[in-house]
Amino acid sequence: MTDKNQRHQKRMKRKKELIDKNISAAKEEKGLLLILTGNGKGKSSSAFGMIARSLGHNMKVGVVQFIKGRTDTGEEAFFSSHADVDWQVMGEGFTWDTQNREKDIAAAQKGWAEAQRMLADPSYNLIIFDELTYILNYKYLDSDAVISDINKRPNMQHVVITGRAASDALCNEADTVSEIADIKHAYHAGIKAQSGIDL
Ligand code: ATP
Ligand code: MG
């Protein structure tokens, strides 16, 4: 073996030892709270990707969509008829579409009642609260009450929250927070939303 290849092999061996050590040090298992936030594209689609992962492990999934954008999404069409998926759409549309604060608040409260039902039921292994951050930032729901309900959930239940501008209060409670940056988006080049990519 050449010197270069030998050095590479030695380096990789050391790296593997370190990775294996870190993997075996992570022992805890618990229901996680994940936040997917930021201005870039990929928050809801990432959350919905975890539905596929969960179903692959025979897990039961709940979804509450707090703000319903444009037309029906492909994920809703595909997943909502699945026996192990409970898909609830509570939004009335975007706030700038409804232009009715009272109606938005009523929809948010109805949505959170569905959320509470799922959070109280340990048979739900994964629950997604899509676009919840807007509801909290507009103060349609009380943030402390929402956090308290989430923290009371069964020990092994995972919760994923999506939406821009997740508050510090929410992020502090979370186990995993990812912020997706908006580097560029086709929409700004005048391209309309594409099925399979944007909805
Ligand atoms: P996706 O559902 O594709 O994962 P998202 O959940 O990150 O997107 P939202 O803010 O919920 O983003 O918006 C959903 C829709 O808006 C999608 O059609 C998405 O492509 C589009 N969108 C997301 N981010 C941007 C952006 N920075 N500029 C323009 N359009 C965007
Ligand atoms: Mg989204």
Side-chain angles (χ1 to χ4, degrees), residues 39-45 70 131 134 164 182 185 187-188 197-198:
N39 293 334
K41 176 208 164 7
K43 300 173 289 294
S44 298
S45 46
R70 40 184 130 246
E131 321 298 351
Y134 304 95
R164 293 180 191 203
D182 180 23
H185 193 291
Y187 175 75
H188 301 296
I197 301 294
D198 296 297

Side-chain angles (χ1 to χ4, degrees), residues 35 37 133 136-137 143 147 163-173:
I35 315 274
T37 192
T133 59
L136 300 178
N137 293 345
S143 170
I147 288 171
R164 293 180 191 203
S167 69
D168 289 344
L170 207 54
C171 291
N172 287 340
E173 295 299 324

Side-chain angles (χ1 to χ4, degrees), residues 7-124:
R7 273 202 310 277
H8 173 83
Q9 197 181 39
K10 226 168 140 184
R11 237 187 3 252
M12 288 303 128
K13 186 169 175 279
R14 269 205 310 271
K15 196 171 173 162
K16 180 167 164 47
E17 281 165 5
L18 198 67
I19 290 171
D20 287 349
K21 200 171 138 210
N22 287 342
I23 290 173
S24 60
K27 287 199 172 66
E28 206 186 338
E29 233 189 308
K30 67 164 199 152
L32 300 173
L33 176 61
L34 291 86
I35 315 274
L36 301 170
T37 192
N39 293 334
K41 176 208 164 7
K43 300 173 289 294
S44 298
S45 46
S46 166
F48 297 153
M50 282 180 260
I51 303 178
R53 287 190 164 176
S54 298
L55 293 177
H57 295 290
N58 300 311
M59 292 159 73
K60 181 174 166 178
V61 181
V63 179
V64 183
Q65 268 190 304
F66 281 91
I67 291 175
K68 175 84 171 156
R70 40 184 130 246
T71 51
D72 287 352
T73 58
E75 290 102 330
E76 187 190 349
F78 184 72
F79 286 124
S80 65
S81 60
H82 195 289
D84 290 323
V85 178
D86 178 1
W87 193 296
Q88 304 288 335
V89 181
M90 301 320 297
E92 299 268 325
F94 284 117
T95 45
W96 48 90
D97 282 333
T98 62
Q99 297 167 10
N100 184 332
R101 192 165 180 272
E102 272 174 14
K103 220 169 139 192
D104 284 350
I105 291 173
Q109 286 169 344
K110 232 170 107 191
W112 195 248
E114 294 290 347
Q116 285 171 319
R117 173 179 62 76
M118 294 173 183
L119 288 166
D121 182 348
S123 75
Y124 287 86

